[in-house]
Amino acid sequence: SIYEVTDNSMTPQEFLKKKNTLESRKIDRALENLDFTSSSFFIYFSVENKTQKELSLIFETARPITNEVVLYNTETGESVFWGDEIPFNEKVIRSNHSALPISIEAQSKETYVLKITSDGESVQLPMIFHVAKSFYERSRMSQLLFGIFIGFFAFTILIYTSFYALLREILFLKYVLYVFFTGFLQFSLEGYLHQFIFKNGGYFTQHSIILVAGMAVLLAIHYG
């Protein structure tokens, strides 16, 4: 079940106390798109392990640029944090993907509260459960494909910078700047800005993407 609240300071523990007084709906799609919002969302769900051995999973959810992701285990009282408001090195799973560990004893069920908060950006809610091997294999493939994708931007920048150097036509330089900021925007949306550049998290990490997106749009208009 998913609950939307406007009080971003509400913790999972406080949510559980108020849960019965809040409106909810069932999640019935593999990917919930919650649109651009500054609300917080609480997802109340259970995972059952029907096998005869302990199950260790990696739970992937939320976009890489989500400000705050908290997974609270209602049975143990333990919380795991993610999001670009905390330093990258403090994340339990150091990945550009929003990934949190889950461990469930054999023949048992664990109930969780997931809190997701953004500052007005688009919020998406995939709920994907991986075994560790498949998660890291998928992550490596994703990084490879993204590297190829960014490579096209780098190649374009190199070619048009050469055109500008040879012909001294300012239009080529404007195109280079537009392509650079568009590529940098994609780099930021995938969470690599937080992973490699602004590693400490906080306000600037959360809002620099707005500056990058604005520059990309302005340069596209100017070039046009």
Side-chain angles (χ1 to χ4, degrees):
S1 301
I2 186 168
Y3 302 75
E4 181 177 359
V5 299
T6 55
D7 180 8
N8 292 339
S9 64
M10 184 184 291
T11 65
Q13 295 91 328
E14 291 170 342
F15 160 77
L16 287 172
K17 293 177 183 178
K18 298 179 180 179
K19 183 170 74 72
N20 293 333
T21 65
L22 300 172
E23 278 191 37
S24 70
R25 62 180 176 84
K26 296 293 183 183
I27 295 176
D28 55 7
R29 291 179 291 182
L31 175 62
E32 286 280 324
N33 191 342
L34 305 173
D35 214 345
F36 293 89
T37 178
S38 57
S39 297
S40 286
F41 292 89
F42 288 89
I43 297 87
Y44 184 77
F45 68 99
S46 298
V47 182
E48 185 175 2
N49 178 11
K50 296 181 179 180
T51 70
Q52 300 300 322
K53 60 181 181 179
E54 184 181 0
L55 192 61
S56 294
L57 300 171
I58 294 177
F59 174 45
E60 183 181 352
T61 186
R63 300 173 73 202
I65 59 170
T66 305
N67 293 70
E68 181 186 9
V69 181
V70 183
L71 183 66
Y72 175 73
N73 188 322
T74 63
E75 314 294 332
T76 64
E78 295 177 347
S79 295
V80 184
F81 298 88
W82 210 90
D84 59 13
E85 70 172 18
I86 65 172
F88 186 81
N89 290 336
E90 291 184 8
K91 295 177 179 179
V92 178
I93 298 176
R94 296 176 187 176
S95 168
N96 64 305
H97 297 285
S98 179
L100 306 160
I102 284 181
S103 182
I104 309 164
E105 296 293 332
Q107 295 292 312
S108 66
K109 182 168 74 171
E110 301 281 358
T111 302
Y112 297 91
V113 175
L114 174 69
K115 179 188 178 183
I116 293 179
T117 305
S118 188
D119 59 357
E121 296 160 351
S122 174
V123 175
Q124 291 181 357
L125 181 64
M127 295 188 72
I128 308 169
F129 297 88
H130 304 271
V131 294
K133 183 180 179 181
S134 71
F135 172 77
Y136 289 112
E137 286 177 351
R138 183 174 177 270
S139 182
R140 283 193 294 268
M141 180 58 67
S142 173
Q143 289 173 354
L144 174 63
L145 294 174
F146 186 75
I148 294 170
F149 177 66
I150 287 295
F152 285 115
F153 284 90
F155 182 71
T156 302
I157 290 169
L158 179 63
I159 291 295
Y160 278 85
T161 301
S162 301
F163 288 164
Y164 172 71
L166 292 170
L167 302 174
R168 295 297 173 181
E169 170 57 62
I170 194 67
L171 193 63
F172 290 128
L173 185 58
K174 291 178 180 179
Y175 185 67
V176 165
L177 290 172
Y178 158 61
V179 171
F180 172 80
F181 275 95
T182 303
F184 197 55
L185 176 60
Q186 296 302 318
F187 183 83
S188 304
L189 289 171
E190 289 295 318
Y192 292 112
L193 185 71
H194 182 33
Q195 183 174 354
F196 294 113
I197 301 176
F198 303 123
K199 297 182 178 182
N200 291 329
Y203 183 87
F204 193 71
T205 306
Q206 295 168 4
H207 296 88
S208 58
I209 192 169
I210 299 171
L211 176 63
V212 174
M215 287 297 297
V217 171
L218 289 173
L219 287 164
I221 294 169
H222 187 59
Y223 174 73

